[in-house]
Structure formats: structure tokens, C-alpha cells
């Protein structure tokens, strides 16, 4: 009797304190209502078009879904098919993506950094125009790219590159830059590298320009002899945040340039799947074969790949002390 | 260095030259890089000949201009609104929200086209301008850059204006916005680039041709361009039209972009 009333009392007290806690929390949330109001528009769009699609992709990846019938749960079999049986994926999409990503990602990143560094050595308004020249290619978005590169890389002798190489005697028959399976990948890499000096490049340039000049003077006193030592011991450590931002942006652009092969070769799928990337594979299954569940599985795979690529760059450039 | 920058910019110079080449020059052998008898025949072709088709090119151009303008205004407004509290208000959940935005910075929306398509069709905004606009409105890079920039504004300044009786909206419009102009300009450029060249929304979310945008129209011109003689000139002009606004915007705002990027570290 006594015990029961005690436990009742403690439950009562507990619920009171819980209620109080809720009220405190609510009033805390309420006191920041303006903050929430401010961020609401972004968060709603963000949730609708980025977070929910990612969650939905994960959900759909476990189903069979053709866009007409409701999704049917089939467990891990999409993933099993992807890593064990999908020959197109294993033989073309995956190796192509790796090759493409490894050259364009770190390669473009290193090129961006070197260019930014060289540009920072230039003086005055000249620097501005060189930086502009480097950044401009990344402005030629998507489709416009084909207009520029197709005539340049055209497979007959009218193509500018072929005609030039023929004239200087470097080759004797015109090369099929974009339609031959051997050369398509290289053309894709060159074109993507050309247009990859984007936001990350600008960030790195800004980072280099903003390094405290007194550091260089101090470095000189401490015995730094040449430009390379200066670069290694002072510039890179003081612009780590921009380096990281540049790396993240490089990874994002690398994985999103999937359409370039299709645009260059004018064929989908590309000749003998030479330029078949994971993004093409997703589009192939999602919008041509309407196997949306399976396409979602491939998307999830790509997301995981991007996540680990980013983890790697955080490991390399992240500031650990903070 | 100079040589490299010339190589980088060659295709751009080419695009300018190409747009003004008359037909007999487009296909001469050996091909000439620079235009010899510049004329505007291609422009005429693009606007006059295609105006006989079902959807005139001006409609695509209008769609593109309208969508881009709306998205620049929308993205900058939405991003700035979000960045300010994220940087200056200690509200519960802010760390979590910023962490999620940082995480999403690492992903590109292109890889999740299918579920996005489903969301858009569920919302019933297929075939409307909203369908063009809403999916590009949330730009994680925009919020990220602005937040890093707002971090530089001293708290004491905001405190002082609050003591003077300014509410959050006044603080936002009178202090945050003017002080963030470089970052806002940068985000405006990024969002313009993003939506100006965006074929994805037209391709996936728009069924009616008159709702599609200019880059989509360009892609119809360039189908099998390599072995197609007709409309080469028109396509060259269209590519020029795609490039020039981007270029002009960037040249005007270059200094601001650089100063924003100086604060763009992920810490």
C-alpha cells in the first residue's frame, strides 16, 4: 500500500518533470522561432529534392519497381545482381568510372592547384585575365561543349585536330577521336579536364592569394631557399581549408560528368560501351528500361563511392586538431 | 603559362568565330580556325527559320531567361536566409543541420535523378515553371559559402544593432545582406550557371515542348551533329548564346568571387 503510493508519487513526479522538460524544450524552440522561420524555405526544398530522394533511393534499391506497379520488396537481390551478374556494369561502367575518376579527379585537382599557384605568381591585372582564361571553359556548360569539341575532334579530315595533325605529319590517316572505342575515353578525359577548373580552382586561387605575406618573410629568415620549399612548408599548410573544399568540389564534378561520353560520340550507349560510366548506367536502367528499383541500387552504390572518395580527401586535407 | 592559357581559351575563341562563319566557310577544306567573311547569316537562321517550327526559339529563350532569373533570385534569397541563423543563432539542431548540408555538399543531385523524378511527379509540378525552379532552389554550396562568409561578421556589430532596437529582420536586411554582397554575388553566379545550362529539368520533368528551355533546344539541334550538315550554323550561334551571359556575369563579378572563395574553407 505504502509502496504503491510511493511508486505512484514517483511516476507522478517523473511525469511532472518530463512535462516541465518538454515545456522548457518547447519554449527554447519557440524562442528561436525566427531562426527556424529563416531557414525553413531552404530546409523544405533541401529535404524535398535532396534528402528525401536519397532516402527514397535507398528504400527503392531493395525493391523491384518499374514505375507503374507499386514497388515490390525483394531484399538484397538488386545488390547481388549488381556486384555479381551485371556484366555491363562490371565490365564497362565500373572500370570506366574508376579510370575516368582517377585521372580526372586527382589529375584535375593537381592541375588546378598548380595553375592557381602559377597564376598567383603573376602580377597585376594580367593575373586577372589569365585566371579568367582558365575559368571560362567551366562556363561552357553541358550541351554547348559538344558544339565546341565535335568539330574540333571530328573523325574525318575536316576535323580541326585531324587536319592540324595531318598537316604537321604527325598522323597519316584521320583518327576517329570520338567514335572509336579506343580513343573515346581519352577524348572524354581531355574535354573534362579542360572544363574542370571550376569553383574549386577559384577557391584555391583565393586561398593562395590570401596567405599571410609575413609568413613568407618569416620563412625566408628560417632558411627557406626556393619556391618549392615555400610552397610545401608555407602555402599548402596555410590554405588547407581551401584545398579540402577544392577536393570535395573536384569529386562532385568528376562523378556528375556522366553525359559527356554520350554527347561526344553522339550515341547512347557509347560505341562498345567505351565511355559507359555509372551515371550512364543509371540512366540506361532508369529511363530507358524502366527498372527504377535497380537503377536506384546503382545510385546508392555511386553515392557510397562518392562518400568514400570524400572521406579519403578529408583524411588527406582535414584539420585534425580542431 | 601564357601558352597554356591560350590553349585553354582556344575553343572559346573558336565558338565566337564559328558563330559568324557563313556556310561555305563552315565546311571548307582545309578548315580555317578564324572566320574570314564574318556575317550574321547564322543568327538569322536561328531566329527566322526556326520560328516556323511549332515552338519558336524565342519561346525557349524566354523560358531559359525567366527560369534563370527566378532561380538566381530564389537561390540567393533562400540561401542567405538559411545561412544567417546557421551562423549566428545558437538554436537547437543547428549543428546537425549544418552537418547534413556539409554531407550533401559531397553529393551531386544528378546521381539521384530517379527518386527526384518521383518526388516531382508526386508534387504535381510536372510541366510547370515550378518544376524547373524548385529542384534547383536548394543549393548546398550556396548556403555553405554564405555561412562561411557570415561567420566573418563580428557578433558585436549584431549585438549593437539589437540594443538599438533592431529586430532580426532589420538586422538581416540592413547588416547581413549589405555586408555579404560579395558572397551573394558569388552564389548568384553559381546558381545562374546551374540553371542556365540545366537540361535535366527539361528532359525529365517537362513533357510539353513549349515548357522546355534553351539548352534543351540546343541539344535537339546537336543530335548527331558530327555527321549532320543542316543547322550547324544555328547550333554554333546557340552555343554562343549559352556562353556569353555566363562570361559577362563572371567578368563583372570576378573580384567578388575571389574574395568569397578566400573564406570557403571546410573546417
Amino acid at each position: 500500500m505504502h509502496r504503491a503510493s510511493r511508486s505512484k508519487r514517483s511516476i507522478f513526479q517523473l511525469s511532472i518533470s518530463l512535462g516541465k522538460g518538454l515545456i522548457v524544450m518547447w519554449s527554447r524552440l519557440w524562442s528561436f522561432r525566427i531562426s527556424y522561420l529563416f531557414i525553413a524555405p531552404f530546409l523544405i526544398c533541401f529535404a524535398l529534392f535532396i534528402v528525401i530522394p536519397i532516402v527514397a533511393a535507398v528504400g527503392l534499391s531493395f525493391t523491384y519497381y518499374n514505375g507503374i506497379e507499386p514497388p515490390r520488396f525483394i531484399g538484397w537481390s538488386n545488390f547481388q545482381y549488381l556486384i555479381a551478374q551485371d556484366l555491363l556494369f562490371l565490365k564497362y561502367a565500373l572500370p570506366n568510372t574508376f579510370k575516368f575518376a582517377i585521372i580526372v579527379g586527382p589529375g584535375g585537382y593537381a592541375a588546378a592547384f598548380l595553375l592557381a599557384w602559377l597564376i598567383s605568381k603573376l602580377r597585376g591585372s594580367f593575373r586577372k585575365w589569365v585566371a579568367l582564361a582558365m575559368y571560362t571553359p567551366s562556363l561552357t556548360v553541358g550541351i554547348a561543349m559538344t558544339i565546341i569539341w565535335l568539330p574540333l575532334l571530328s573523325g574525318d579530315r575536316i576535323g580541326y585536330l585531324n587536319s592540324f595533325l595531318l598537316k604537321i605529319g604527325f598522323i597519316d590517316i584521320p583518327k576517329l577521336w570520338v567514335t572509336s572505342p579506343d580513343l573515346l575515353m581519352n577524348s572524354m578525359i581531355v574535354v573534362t579536364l579542360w572544363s574542370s577548373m571550376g569553383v574549386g580552382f577559384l577557391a584555391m586561387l583565393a586561398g593562395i592569394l590570401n596567405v599571410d605575406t609575413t609568413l613568407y618573410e618569416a620563412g625566408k629568415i628560417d632558411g627557406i631557399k626556393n619556391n618549392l620549399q615555400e610552397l610545401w612548408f608555407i602555402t599548402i599548410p596555410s590554405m588547407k581549408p581551401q584545398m579540402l573544399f577544392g577536393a570535395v568540389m573536384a569529386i562532385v564534378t568528376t562523378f556528375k560528368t556522366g553525359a559527356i561520353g554520350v554527347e561526344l560520340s553522339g550515341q547512347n550507349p557509347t560505341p562498345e560501351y567505351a565511355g559507359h560510366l555509372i551515371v550512364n548506367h543509371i540512366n540506361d536502367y532508369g529511363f530507358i528500361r524502366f527498372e527504377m528499383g535497380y537503377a536506384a541500387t546503382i545510385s546508392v552504390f555511386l553515392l557510397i563511392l562518392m562518400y568514400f572518395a570524400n572521406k579519403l580527401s578529408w583524411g588527406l586535407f582535414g584539420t585534425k586538431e580542431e | 603559362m601564357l601558352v597554356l592559357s591560350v590553349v585553354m581559351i582556344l575553343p572559346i575563341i573558336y565558338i565566337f568565330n564559328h558563330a559568324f562563319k557563313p556556310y561555305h566557310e563552315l565546311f571548307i577544306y582545309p578548315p580555317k580556325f578564324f572566320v574570314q567573311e564574318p556575317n550574321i547569316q547564322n543568327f538569322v537562321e536561328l531566329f527566322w527559320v526556326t520560328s516556323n517550327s511549332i515552338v519558336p526559339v524565342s519561346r525557349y529563350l524566354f523560358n531559359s531567361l525567366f527560369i534563370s532569373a527566378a532561380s538566381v533570385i530564389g537561390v540567393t534569397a533562400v540561401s542567405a536566409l538559411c545561412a544567417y541563423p546557421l551562423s549566428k543563432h545558437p538554436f537547437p539542431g543547428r549543428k546537425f543541420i549544418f552537418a547534413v548540408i556539409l554531407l550533401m555538399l559531397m553529393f551531386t543531385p544528378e546521381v539521384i535523378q530517379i527518386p527526384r523524378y518521383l518526388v516531382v511527379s508526386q508534387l504535381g509540378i510536372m510541366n510547370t515553371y515550378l518544376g524547373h525552379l524548385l529542384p534547383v532552389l536548394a543549393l548546398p554550396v550556396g548556403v555553405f559559402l554564405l555561412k562561411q562568409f557570415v561567420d566573418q561578421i563580428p557578433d558585436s556589430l549584431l549585438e549593437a544593432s539589437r540594443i538599438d532596437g533592431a529586430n532580426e529582420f532589420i538586422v538581416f536586411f540592413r547588416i547581413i545582406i549589405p555586408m555579404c554582397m560579395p558572397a551573394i554575388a558569388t552564389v548568384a553566379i553559381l546558381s545562374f550557371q546551374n540553371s542556365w545550362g540545366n537540361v535535366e529539368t527539361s528532359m525529365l520533368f517537362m513533357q510539353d515542348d513549349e515548357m522546355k528551355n534553351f539548352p534543351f533546344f540546343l541539344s535537339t539541334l546537336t543530335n548527331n551533329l558530327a555527321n549532320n550538315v543542316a543547322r550547324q550554323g544555328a547550333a554554333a550561334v546557340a552555343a554562343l548564346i549559352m556562353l556569353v551571359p555566363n562570361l559577362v556575369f563572371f567578368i563583372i563579378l570576378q573580384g567578388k568571387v575571389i574574395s568569397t572563395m578566400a573564406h570557403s574553407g571546410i573546417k
Side-chain angles (χ1 to χ4, degrees):
Chain A
M1 182 69 191
H2 187 63
R3 247 168 112 175
S5 74
R6 243 173 75 178
S7 75
K8 238 181 200 166
R9 240 176 65 196
S10 70
I11 289 173
F12 183 63
Q13 273 173 345
L14 195 75
S15 61
I16 282 185
S17 64
L18 199 74
K20 262 187 189 160
L22 275 178
I23 289 168
V24 169
M25 209 172 98
W26 172 249
S27 69
R28 199 162 136 68
L29 290 179
W30 182 246
S31 70
F32 284 108
R33 60 194 179 279
I34 290 181
S35 311
Y36 291 111
L37 188 69
F38 269 55
I39 63 172
F42 178 81
L43 276 194
I44 291 168
C45 288
F46 185 66
L48 268 180
F49 295 102
I50 299 181
V51 179
I52 289 179
I54 288 184
V55 174
V58 174
L60 279 177
S61 67
F62 293 104
T63 63
Y64 174 81
Y65 182 46
N66 56 15
I68 304 161
E69 305 163 47
R72 194 174 74 236
F73 183 76
I74 53 167
W76 288 95
S77 53
N78 275 334
F79 286 92
Q80 278 165 358
Y81 182 77
L82 180 71
I83 55 175
Q85 283 169 0
D86 189 346
L87 280 180
L88 279 184
F89 178 77
L90 294 173
K91 220 175 142 189
Y92 300 107
L94 197 58
N96 280 346
T97 306
F98 267 106
K99 186 185 172 194
F100 185 77
I102 284 171
I103 298 178
V104 172
Y109 181 65
F113 177 73
L114 272 180
L115 281 177
W117 184 60
L118 288 172
I119 288 174
S120 74
K121 298 275 166 206
L122 298 172
R123 292 280 152 256
S125 66
F126 187 55
R127 176 163 72 201
K128 203 172 126 188
W129 291 106
V130 177
L132 178 69
M134 295 297 167
Y135 184 72
T136 312
S138 72
L139 295 173
T140 42
V141 274
I143 304 299
M145 202 103 99
T146 43
I147 313 274
I148 304 178
W149 284 96
L150 274 185
L152 288 178
L153 294 175
S154 170
D156 43 26
R157 63 198 180 103
I158 293 183
Y160 287 72
L161 185 61
N162 274 333
S163 137
F164 176 71
L165 291 178
L166 282 171
K167 207 159 79 187
I168 63 169
F170 203 73
I171 52 173
D172 25 81
I173 42 162
K175 289 212 180 263
L176 300 165
W177 296 109
V178 293
T179 42
S180 125
D182 307 328
L183 292 171
L184 174 63
M185 191 54 161
N186 298 333
S187 303
M188 282 164 62
I189 288 172
V190 169
V191 172
T192 314
L193 275 180
W194 171 73
S195 64
S196 66
M197 304 296 147
V199 182
F201 163 72
L202 288 179
M204 286 197 271
L205 179 60
I208 295 176
L209 293 179
N210 266 42
V211 173
D212 195 354
T213 44
T214 55
L215 281 179
Y216 290 121
E217 284 159 27
K220 261 183 200 134
I221 296 165
D222 283 349
I224 281 179
K225 286 180 227 76
N226 53 33
N227 274 337
L228 279 181
Q229 277 187 347
E230 198 176 271
L231 180 71
W232 186 253
F233 290 111
I234 298 172
T235 313
I236 293 182
S238 35
M239 55 171 288
K240 264 198 166 175
Q242 278 86 11
M243 299 279 284
L244 180 57
F245 180 72
V248 171
M249 286 298 124
I251 292 165
V252 170
T253 32
T254 306
F255 282 104
K256 98 176 174 192
T257 41
I260 186 75
V262 176
E263 282 164 12
L264 280 180
S265 66
Q267 293 167 32
N268 189 16
T270 47
E272 292 182 33
Y273 292 98
H276 201 63
L277 302 179
I278 297 183
V279 177
N280 304 112
H281 208 55
I282 295 173
N283 283 332
D284 189 7
Y285 275 95
F287 297 107
I288 297 173
R289 307 187 201 196
F290 283 103
E291 292 189 27
M292 296 205 172
Y294 186 60
T297 310
I298 312 170
S299 319
V300 172
F301 184 84
L302 186 58
L303 284 175
I304 295 170
L305 214 60
M306 286 178 89
Y307 179 74
F308 279 108
N310 276 300
K311 267 275 170 250
L312 189 70
S313 61
W314 280 78
L316 287 174
F317 300 107
T319 40
K320 289 185 188 75
E321 316 84 66
E322 283 170 281
Chain B
M1 193 66 210
L2 199 62
V3 174
L4 192 65
S5 60
V6 169
V7 171
M8 290 291 279
I9 209 150
L10 264 185
I12 306 291
I13 298 168
Y14 164 78
I15 210 172
F16 277 92
N17 278 295
H18 208 56
F20 291 98
K21 279 179 192 165
Y23 255 73
H24 59 90
E25 249 183 79
L26 281 173
F27 294 101
I28 49 170
Y29 181 84
K32 292 273 190 304
F33 197 82
F34 292 103
V35 56
Q36 271 149 10
E37 304 157 29
N39 66 9
I40 55 161
Q41 172 198 338
N42 291 332
F43 289 84
V44 175
E45 181 187 324
L46 178 65
F47 287 97
W48 189 70
V49 178
T50 54
S51 69
N52 295 331
S53 55
I54 310 159
V55 184
V57 62
S58 47
R59 171 78 197 205
Y60 291 110
L61 205 54
F62 167 78
N63 282 349
S64 254
L65 286 173
F66 178 74
I67 296 159
S68 303
S71 91
V72 166
I73 295 166
V75 169
T76 47
V78 163
S79 306
L81 276 173
C82 183
Y84 166 53
L86 270 182
S87 173
K88 294 295 178 200
H89 293 179
F91 62 87
R94 118 180 138 140
K95 286 227 171 86
F96 174 73
I97 290 172
F98 189 61
V100 174
I101 292 175
L102 261 188
L103 189 68
M104 293 310 157
L105 196 64
M106 298 180 185
F107 299 131
T108 157
E110 273 84 351
V111 302
I112 39 161
Q113 283 176 350
I114 288 140
R116 265 186 144 197
Y117 172 81
L118 298 176
V119 167
V120 169
S121 68
Q122 286 299 312
L123 285 175
I125 52 172
M126 295 282 239
N127 256 334
T128 62
Y129 284 113
L130 278 179
H132 275 297
L133 186 60
L134 287 181
V136 296
L137 212 51
L139 191 68
V141 185
V143 172
F144 173 74
L145 288 177
L146 273 165
K147 193 248 171 199
Q148 300 297 95
F149 207 83
V150 177
D151 280 348
Q152 315 287 319
I153 297 174
D155 285 335
S156 51
L157 194 66
L158 306 182
E159 290 300 322
S161 60
R162 282 195 197 110
I163 290 166
D164 286 347
N167 65 27
E168 287 304 311
F169 291 96
I170 294 177
V171 170
F172 179 72
F173 284 111
R174 292 277 167 79
I175 297 175
I176 301 290
I177 295 280
M179 289 191 76
C180 283
M181 268 341 259
I184 287 175
T186 308
V187 173
I189 289 186
L190 289 181
S191 70
F192 181 78
Q193 275 179 34
N194 210 18
S195 60
W196 181 246
N198 192 351
V199 211
E200 193 199 329
T201 53
S202 299
M203 210 122 76
L204 300 180
F205 309 148
M206 304 294 136
Q207 278 106 25
D208 294 345
D209 269 340
E210 64 259 34
M211 290 303 296
K212 294 183 172 179
N213 64 2
F214 193 71
F216 177 84
F217 168 71
L218 184 55
S219 75
T220 60
L221 280 182
T222 58
N223 272 345
N224 296 318
L225 184 76
N227 36 30
N228 192 0
V229 174
R231 299 274 162 80
Q232 269 252 8
V237 172
L240 185 67
I241 293 175
M242 285 297 298
L243 175 68
V244 165
N246 262 337
L247 198 59
V248 171
F249 261 121
F250 183 73
I251 290 174
I252 295 171
L253 300 172
Q254 191 181 21
K256 293 192 166 164
V257 174
I258 296 281
S259 79
T260 309
M261 292 298 170
H263 306 296
S264 70
I266 303 175
K267 280 175 203 157

